[in-house]
Amino acid sequence: MNDPDHGVRQAAVGRLHDLVILRSVLERDRDASVREAARARYRQLLAGGDMLDIGYRRAALQACSDHQIIAHVARSAREPCLRHLAIGRIREPRLLDEIRQHDIDATVRAAADERLAVETQRLER
């Protein structure tokens, strides 16, 4: 995190498995390429691109405020329960409709459908 060479920091990000450190890097690193590498790695790990514990990933998702990352998890998380959790944080009707139509899990599709109804009502007010 403190190496003056952004290339070293960027390479290190690709090896990290600590979601707390990755979130810190993606929010605070002074170099845009390092922040983007951290964002990509964070997204990958959060969605289940490694063997991190589901409870750890769930907690990280709940702490995440990046709407792009939440959308990625809603579309791509390995476990339906994590996709379902992410759906509860989405406010974009278009994304909810996409998930409602295309997710492979019926419970996730139903959750997206319910969330879409809530967001549609909110927007109509």
Side-chain angles (χ1 to χ4, degrees), residues 13-17 19 22 36-46 49-50:
V13 159
R15 294 182 184 96
L16 284 174
H17 295 304
L19 294 170
L22 280 167
E36 188 51 42
R39 177 174 278 105
R41 179 72 171 151
Y42 187 82
R43 223 179 17 234
Q44 174 197 21
L45 292 175
L46 202 55
D50 206 335

Side-chain angles (χ1 to χ4, degrees), residues 6 9-10 29-39:
H6 75 278
R9 294 193 314 276
Q10 191 171 356
D29 197 274
R30 61 190 172 275
D31 186 89
S33 65
V34 175
R35 289 191 308 272
E36 188 51 42
R39 177 174 278 105

Side-chain angles (χ1 to χ4, degrees), residues 6-97:
H6 75 278
V8 170
R9 294 193 314 276
Q10 191 171 356
V13 159
R15 294 182 184 96
L16 284 174
H17 295 304
D18 187 316
L19 294 170
V20 175
I21 293 173
L22 280 167
R23 190 173 75 225
S24 176
V25 172
L26 77 87
E27 291 173 351
R28 296 187 182 104
D29 197 274
R30 61 190 172 275
D31 186 89
S33 65
V34 175
R35 289 191 308 272
E36 188 51 42
R39 177 174 278 105
R41 179 72 171 151
Y42 187 82
R43 223 179 17 234
Q44 174 197 21
L45 292 175
L46 202 55
D50 206 335
M51 300 308 290
L52 294 179
D53 177 72
I54 184 71
Y56 179 53
R57 291 171 32 232
R58 184 188 314 255
L61 176 61
Q62 289 173 322
C64 182
S65 60
D66 186 309
H67 298 291
Q68 289 178 339
I69 292 172
I70 295 167
H72 177 79
V73 172
R75 285 184 182 112
S76 306
R78 182 175 55 218
E79 299 87 355
C81 66
L82 208 57
R83 294 194 309 273
H84 191 282
L85 182 62
I87 285 167
R89 308 216 17 231
I90 294 173
R91 298 186 81 170
E92 297 86 15
R94 192 175 300 166
L95 175 57
L96 291 165
D97 188 47

